[in-house]
Amino acid sequence: MLGVEENVPRKDPGDAESGSCKPETPRPTQEDQSSPEDHPPRLIDTDNDASKLSNEVGMNHDFHMEEVLPPSSLEGKVKEKMHDAFWDHLKQQLSATPPDFSCALELLKEMKEILLSLLLPRQNRLRSEIEESLDMDLLRREAECGDLHVPHLSKRILNMMTLLCAPIRDEAVQKLENVADPVCLLRGIFHVLGLMKMDMVNYTIQSLQPHLQEHSIEHERAKFQELLNKQPSLLDHTTKWLTRAAADLATLPPAGPDAPDSSSVACPSPNGAADSPVPVSPAMVLSQGFLNLLLWDPENEEFPETLLRDRARLQELESQLRQLTVLAAVLLVASSFSGSVLFGSPQFVDKLKRIAKAHMEEFNSRPEEAMLTVSEQVSQEMHQSLKSMGLAALSSDNTASLIGQLRSIAKEENCVRSVIDQRIHLFLKCCLVLGVQRSLLDLPGGLTLIEAELAELGQKFVNLKHHNQQVFGPYYTEILKTLIPPSQALEAEVASL
């Protein structure tokens, strides 16, 4: 995916399309990962593309539009061939005697439209300059007389791009100034204009994000209320979900991060008073409820109605959590055989991460085979790294032990894997209570090597919970009033203050 991470003012093009003189400008799209089977008909019928986009922007503060057609996919390959055909056809036209400018005119018209779309309302001088430089009526008359100077027009377009592009595109525009072939230059210009157009889309989204978030919250709540008015039982599963979360907290004994179920462990408080009983609050119940969703039994059809729309996202988070558990377990086992000698090198750690991540998909279906391959590759990488540093390689006994411990990670009951899983759940609970950045300051043991991956997972989880709470908070409040005694809720509120 082609991400545009800077908040910069410019938009997306598309590559040229063959079969017609006018190249296709693909519309940027963002796929919603949810599928029809994840939603009962009563809820999915309320969704449309606009509401899905609004929901995605509201939930993801770093949301940006991007080109989602992988070049390696069949569609990507077909698209590339069609574009190549268009540019080859353009080259033939311009090389003919006399030159045929029909496709060139359509291309220049498209470029003019993109340049105009990048202007802000106050940029009247640039607008006039673009209109004058790319006056299509004048260019058609020049083409009919055979006097259309395409390289000269390309240079003028480049000059205007220099004025309009965001700083992140300066280098790409400068490289085009050294392209001599007229067709290659036009192709490069069209590509960079597309990136600039995408930049503008993302800049606009970032500027409007607070308003889009507010609209998303109001829209989702209004739609849900309409359904609730027709079906008063629509909150039954949500009530059961919160009831279970409250029960989990009520029966929870004081425990540390390595308790049997760390998903129910209270996050340590900043002042160190972690062992004193903490009154149950609505926020604690809701956080516990969200943690329980990461352990949801797929066979349980009583999924909370307020989270049906986010079920696919939760399943993706659960999948990422499992992968990070295996990754951290691999790194922890491997580090026990070499310590800081190898694991003090970020480059070496990244190599082992790439080895493990490359087999995560296989791990889901064939964990034993995947871990056999991972164990052999990790052992080999450690052997080569120690040798390159002039250090003694692992003995045959240690190598056999390393491979054996790594292979055992394939078993769900593996003790290293279980402890890592508990600690990641504890970290996620701390994220809900303290925020991601504060939680990263005191990571549980064994997780420091996956800090970046945990930060990403934690932020996604926090964003999902926050957005959902913003939408359905009033419903949760009414349900929780029946689950938490007023005196206990008040005590918890005072304690939090």
Side-chain angles (χ1 to χ4, degrees):
M1 293 169 67
L2 171 66
V4 182
E5 298 180 357
E6 276 83 358
N7 297 336
V8 287
R10 317 290 158 215
K11 278 188 193 174
D12 152 81
D15 298 299
E17 184 80 38
S18 75
S20 115
C21 287
K22 184 175 180 179
E24 177 189 359
T25 303
R27 298 292 182 263
T29 60
Q30 180 74 19
E31 293 184 359
D32 188 357
Q33 296 178 343
S34 59
S35 58
E37 56 268 25
D38 292 328
H39 303 270
R42 60 188 179 183
L43 292 179
I44 197 171
D45 289 345
T46 67
D47 279 351
N48 54 44
D49 290 341
S51 65
K52 288 178 181 178
L53 177 60
S54 180
N55 175 264
E56 187 67 32
V57 173
M59 190 172 302
N60 183 1
H61 296 176
D62 298 321
F63 175 86
H64 56 271
M65 301 296 286
E66 46 194 24
E67 194 168 330
V68 295
L69 197 60
S72 59
S73 68
L74 178 61
E75 288 180 276
K77 291 177 180 177
V78 171
K79 175 182 173 182
E80 184 180 358
K81 286 186 177 297
M82 295 178 72
H83 291 170
D84 289 342
F86 169 80
W87 295 108
D88 289 343
H89 181 57
L90 176 63
K91 188 171 186 176
Q92 291 174 2
Q93 284 192 338
L94 295 181
S95 302
T97 306
D100 181 352
F101 295 110
S102 55
C103 280
L105 285 171
E106 289 294 334
L107 188 60
L108 291 170
K109 179 181 177 183
E110 180 78 5
M111 290 178 174
K112 175 183 177 181
E113 291 173 357
I114 294 176
L115 286 170
L116 290 173
S117 73
L118 300 178
L119 294 175
L120 298 174
R122 64 177 181 274
Q123 294 178 304
N124 295 321
R125 185 182 63 80
L126 272 176
R127 186 181 303 277
S128 299
E129 184 178 340
I130 293 171
E131 293 284 2
E132 181 180 344
S133 299
L134 297 173
D135 183 335
M136 296 312 300
D137 291 335
L138 176 60
L139 295 183
R140 287 191 186 92
R141 290 196 294 271
E142 291 179 355
E144 290 171 359
C145 298
D147 295 332
L148 186 66
H149 200 288
V150 175
H152 175 69
L153 290 170
S154 298
K155 295 294 183 183
R156 298 182 74 173
I157 292 173
L158 271 180
N159 291 337
M160 290 181 279
M161 289 170 64
T162 302
L163 299 174
L164 288 171
C165 74
I168 192 177
R169 305 300 171 202
D170 284 343
E171 184 179 354
V173 174
Q174 289 172 4
K175 286 182 179 179
L176 292 176
E177 294 175 355
N178 299 321
V179 178
D181 182 81
V183 175
C184 290
L185 178 57
L186 285 172
R187 186 169 190 169
I189 288 174
F190 198 77
H191 173 69
V192 176
L193 279 174
L195 299 178
M196 292 169 60
K197 191 174 179 182
M198 184 69 82
D199 291 343
M200 176 60 87
V201 170
N202 288 316
Y203 173 78
T204 304
I205 289 174
Q206 290 294 325
S207 301
L208 297 176
Q209 191 169 57
H211 304 286
L212 293 173
Q213 289 174 339
E214 183 179 355
H215 172 269
S216 174
I217 291 167
E218 294 176 354
H219 174 78
E220 287 184 59
R221 188 185 299 157
K223 288 296 182 182
F224 188 83
Q225 185 61 50
E226 288 179 13
L227 295 172
L228 186 61
N229 292 339
K230 299 175 183 177
Q231 305 174 48
S233 63
L234 194 55
L235 285 170
D236 287 358
H237 295 167
T238 301
T239 302
K240 289 182 181 179
W241 164 60
L242 292 175
T243 301
R244 180 196 164 187
D248 289 344
L249 290 174
T251 58
L252 177 67
D258 294 330
D261 181 9
S262 65
S263 66
S264 299
V265 175
C267 185
S269 62
N271 59 15
D275 295 331
S276 57
V278 179
V280 175
S281 69
M284 291 172 61
V285 174
L286 196 56
S287 294
Q288 183 62 45
F290 272 85
L291 285 168
N292 289 346
L293 292 173
L294 296 178
L295 302 170
W296 195 267
D297 181 1
E299 302 298 323
N300 185 353
E301 297 182 357
E302 296 185 346
F303 199 81
E305 297 90 346
T306 54
L307 282 143
L308 282 170
R309 192 172 189 172
D310 299 319
R311 190 168 190 176
R313 292 188 182 94
L314 284 163
Q315 289 171 341
E316 178 61 27
L317 290 177
E318 183 182 359
S319 175
Q320 291 180 22
L321 191 154
R322 288 196 304 269
Q323 292 179 10
L324 287 185
T325 299
V326 174
L327 176 61
V330 168
L331 296 175
L332 185 59
V333 168
S335 66
S336 68
F337 284 83
S338 68
S340 60
V341 174
L342 294 179
F343 282 78
S345 166
Q347 292 78 12
F348 176 78
V349 174
D350 286 341
K351 285 182 181 179
L352 294 197
K353 284 184 178 181
R354 287 195 295 270
I355 291 173
K357 290 178 180 179
H359 296 86
M360 284 301 174
E361 187 173 343
E362 182 186 7
F363 185 90
N364 294 331
S365 56
R366 299 185 299 170
E368 290 81 8
E369 291 86 342
M371 287 313 304
L372 174 60
T373 306
V374 169
S375 63
E376 292 174 347
Q377 292 183 4
V378 167
S379 173
Q380 183 180 9
E381 187 62 45
M382 291 179 66
H383 175 80
Q384 292 177 348
S385 296
L386 288 170
K387 185 177 179 180
S388 66
M389 296 173 66
L391 301 174
L394 295 178
S395 65
S396 57
D397 289 343
N398 280 342
T399 300
S401 179
L402 169 63
I403 292 176
Q405 290 187 41
L406 289 174
R407 291 183 64 181
S408 67
I409 293 173
K411 301 175 182 178
E412 289 190 17
E413 63 274 15
N414 175 264
C415 60
V416 176
R417 183 174 163 185
S418 297
V419 169
I420 293 294
D421 180 71
Q422 294 164 10
R423 291 177 177 178
I424 292 180
H425 277 89
L426 175 62
F427 167 76
L428 291 175
K429 183 155 194 174
C430 288
C431 287
L432 296 181
V433 176
L434 303 175
V436 177
Q437 294 306 315
R438 288 182 64 186
S439 301
L440 289 171
L441 296 177
D442 189 20
L443 281 175
L447 302 186
T448 54
L449 293 177
I450 59 167
E451 180 177 344
E453 292 86 353
L454 280 177
E456 180 183 354
L457 176 67
Q459 194 60 60
K460 288 180 180 179
F461 191 44
V462 169
N463 288 348
L464 189 151
K465 187 249 185 184
H466 176 73
H467 181 78
N468 182 269
Q469 187 175 354
Q470 290 283 96
V471 176
F472 299 104
Y475 305 105
Y476 295 151
T477 299
E478 293 304 313
I479 295 172
L480 291 169
K481 282 180 181 179
T482 66
L483 301 178
I484 304 175
S487 58
Q488 190 175 357
L490 179 60
E491 185 182 354
E493 184 177 344
V494 172
S496 66
L497 293 176

